[in-house]
């Protein structure tokens, strides 16, 4: 059977079609500029990539084109072969701790949670409704970025602010990238051949987060109420003294919205270096002697090491450290710098093994006290697997 994993943004729709249970990718791509003119889509199938400019007034038309491509390219004979569509949802609040079928009640709840993810949840609902219209017989499911983190305890998810903020405004830590942390921790357990493990999973991309995972369950994670907590990211500041915000707002007369933009889009590696949010540019800057790029990278690495260290203590040990996402999978320099700084824990990087990009492998020496691995993430497959199991139960 065919399962689609989709990620709807306000003007985009990313998709991957899997044959299940073989997990073979049949088709993948993205529709862009939906509803805003000059729209197009790129699609990869049968080893070929193509781009087409088309009118995409809404997400429903995008799904219709996707179905037409599937049929024209003989990937399916009819719509009925698509048994499930899994939708990525950014914010499931404290309400959703697992993948669910997208019933009217579930959609209403996702809508209610929009105040916590104003850009993302409403767009996902548009995607679900469009998919339901175009593929009424397929089971629609919702897979939450936050669900994996719902096993955190109060001591981990509460903030030390007036308790009424939690009661009245749901202010607490929800985390993000849960589907990725779940995928790589499951895969790590498969590699280790056991499930009673203590893992530290580092999803370091443009957005970045670290999770402490014990026996397959999340104990703590670095992102918070929003994705702007924890690590220094491409353009997000991550953890800092909260009073910096009110201090600078008073000094400059900046509005909350302007401040939000700066903290999310003009901070992090970009803010410190003044050069770029992209790790590759930072690395290039360092190689050409740019001091601020070096400072940005040193701070970036230090923060990651701080989180790994505190999760090592929280978990009372660690069976493996996992690196994933754009930087985690590809930056040889960043991984080495992190692991070198963890030498006090008996961790020893294997420089030759570490000299790769995007490949699943162990990157520490055999006598390293804790092994570290690169495990390329696959959120789409995780979405498809969850959806497939709900289709089987349906
Ligand atoms: P997101 O999904 O959060 O947008 P990704 O996980 O795709 O981000 O990661 C994107 C980031 O990965 C880029 O901004 C870049 O910093 C980093 N990256 C990609 N390739 C490399 C590389 N070869 N070396 C260093 N960093 C890389």
């Amino acid at each position: 059977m065919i399962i689609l994993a989709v990620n709807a943004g306000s003007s985009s729709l990313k998709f991957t079609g899997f044959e299940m249970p073989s997990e073979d990718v049949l088709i993948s791509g993205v529709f862009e500029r939906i509803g805003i003119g000059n729209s197009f889509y790129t699609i990869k199938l049968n080893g070929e990539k193509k781009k087409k400019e088309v009118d995409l007034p809404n997400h429903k038309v995008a799904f219709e084109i996707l179905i037409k491509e599937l049929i024209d390219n003989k990937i399916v004979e009819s719509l009925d072969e698509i048994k499930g569509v899994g939708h990525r949802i950014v914010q499931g609040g404290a309400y959703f701790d697992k993948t669910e079928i997208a019933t009217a009640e579930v959609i209403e709840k996702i809508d209610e949670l929009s105040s916590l993810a104003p850009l993302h949840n409403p767009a996902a609902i548009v995607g679900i409704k469009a998919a339901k219209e175009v593929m009424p017989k397929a089971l629609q499911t919702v897979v939450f970025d936050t669900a994996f983190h719902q096993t955190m305890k109060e001591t981990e998810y509460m903030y030390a602010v007036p308790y009424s903020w939690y009661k009245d405004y749901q202010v607490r830590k929800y985390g993000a990238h849960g589907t990725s942390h779940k995928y790589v921790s499951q895969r790590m357990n498969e590699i280790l051949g056991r499930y009673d493990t203590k893992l530290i999973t580092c999803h370091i991309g443009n957005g970045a987060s670290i999770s402490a995972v014990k026996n397959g369950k999340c104990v703590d994670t670095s992102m918070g109420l929003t994705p702007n907590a924890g690590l220094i990211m491409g353009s997000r500041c991550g953890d800092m003294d909260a009073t910096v915000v009110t201090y600078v707002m008073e000094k400059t007369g900046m509005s909350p919205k302007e401040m939000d933009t700066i903290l999310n889009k003009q901070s992090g590696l970009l803010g410190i270096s003044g050069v770029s949010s992209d790790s590759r540019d930072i690395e290039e800057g360092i190689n050409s002697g740019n001091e601020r790029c070096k400072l940005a990278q040193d701070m970036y690495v230090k923060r990651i090491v701080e989180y790994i260290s505190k999760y090592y203590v929280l978990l009372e040990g660690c069976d493996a450290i996992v690196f994933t996402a754009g930087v985690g999978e590809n930056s040889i320099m960043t991984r080495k710098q992190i692991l070198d700084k963890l030498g006090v824990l008996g961790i020893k990087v294997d420089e030759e093994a570490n000299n790769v990009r995007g490949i699943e492998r162990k990157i520490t020496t055999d006598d390293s006290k804790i092994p570290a691995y690169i495990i390329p993430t696959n959120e789409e497959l995780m979405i498809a697997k969850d959806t497939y199991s709900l289709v089987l139960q349906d």
Side-chain angles (χ1 to χ4, degrees), residues 14 177 203-208 234 269 277-281 283 300 324-332 334 357 377 379:
K14 283 194 200 130
H177 295 145
H203 177 113
I204 316 173
N206 194 23
L269 289 177
S277 60
D278 192 303
S279 259
R280 286 164 290 204
D281 300 335
E283 206 167 322
Y300 183 84
T324 195
V327 180
E329 290 169 29
N330 297 301
S331 178
I332 297 160
T334 304
R357 302 185 202 277
T377 196
E379 287 156 293

Side-chain angles (χ1 to χ4, degrees), residues 97-99 143-145 147-149 176-190 199 201 203 211 213 216-218 324 375 377-379 382-383 385-387 389:
D97 61 2
K98 60 181 192 312
T99 296
V143 185
F144 299 91
D145 263 11
F148 184 62
H149 304 306
H177 295 145
T179 308
S180 175
H181 288 287
K182 183 177 167 187
Y183 176 82
V184 297
S185 55
Q186 281 186 357
R187 181 70 200 123
M188 190 67 251
N189 282 342
E190 277 170 24
L199 307 177
T201 52
H203 177 113
S211 292
V213 184
K217 293 202 164 71
C218 177
T324 195
I375 300 183
T377 196
N378 198 337
E379 287 156 293
M382 195 75 249
I383 291 172
K385 280 168 100 166
D386 274 8
T387 305
S389 64

Side-chain angles (χ1 to χ4, degrees), residues 30-74:
V30 57
F31 292 91
E32 292 185 61
R33 302 188 56 86
I34 299 171
I36 55 174
N38 297 324
S39 45
F40 62 93
Y41 67 96
T42 38
I43 204 162
K44 216 167 116 184
L45 81 177
N46 302 330
E48 258 179 65
K49 213 172 165 178
K50 60 182 178 183
K51 179 175 167 183
K52 278 191 190 171
E53 286 172 23
V54 282
D55 195 22
L56 295 172
N58 53 48
H59 288 70
K60 184 172 173 238
V61 173
F63 275 117
E64 283 166 352
I65 293 172
L66 170 57
I67 301 300
K68 191 170 178 313
E69 286 281 1
L70 286 167
I71 292 175
D72 288 354
N73 287 284
K74 303 196 171 20

Side-chain angles (χ1 to χ4, degrees), residues 78-218:
S78 88
L79 205 57
D80 295 350
E81 286 172 47
I82 302 167
K83 299 289 185 204
V85 184
H87 299 262
R88 178 190 176 208
I89 312 290
V90 163
Q91 183 54 266
Y95 196 80
F96 295 107
D97 61 2
K98 60 181 192 312
T99 296
E100 299 280 0
I101 296 170
T103 60
E105 195 192 339
V106 162
I107 295 173
E108 201 182 309
K109 198 72 205 169
I110 295 169
D111 194 27
E112 266 175 42
L113 292 164
S114 288
S115 63
L116 293 170
L119 295 178
H120 297 101
N121 276 22
I125 293 172
V126 170
I128 299 166
K129 289 185 173 162
K132 278 191 171 196
E133 271 187 69
V134 178
M135 292 166 277
K137 285 193 191 156
L139 187 76
Q140 309 286 329
T141 71
V142 281
V143 185
F144 299 91
D145 263 11
T146 48
F148 184 62
H149 304 306
Q150 277 300 305
T151 43
M152 280 188 293
K153 295 206 183 98
E154 262 183 329
T155 35
E156 273 68 45
Y157 71 67
M158 288 298 290
Y159 291 120
V161 289
Y163 198 79
S164 58
W165 291 8
Y166 169 61
K167 286 278 161 220
D168 298 342
Y169 311 119
Q170 296 79 50
V171 169
R172 52 157 281 182
K173 187 194 270 196
Y174 295 103
H177 295 145
T179 308
S180 175
H181 288 287
K182 183 177 167 187
Y183 176 82
V184 297
S185 55
Q186 281 186 357
R187 181 70 200 123
M188 190 67 251
N189 282 342
E190 277 170 24
I191 295 168
L192 294 174
R194 44 187 271 250
Y195 297 84
D196 58 335
T197 55
K198 295 168 179 178
L199 307 177
I200 299 174
T201 52
C202 310
H203 177 113
I204 316 173
N206 194 23
S209 63
I210 298 193
S211 292
V213 184
K214 189 174 178 183
N215 304 338
K217 293 202 164 71
C218 177

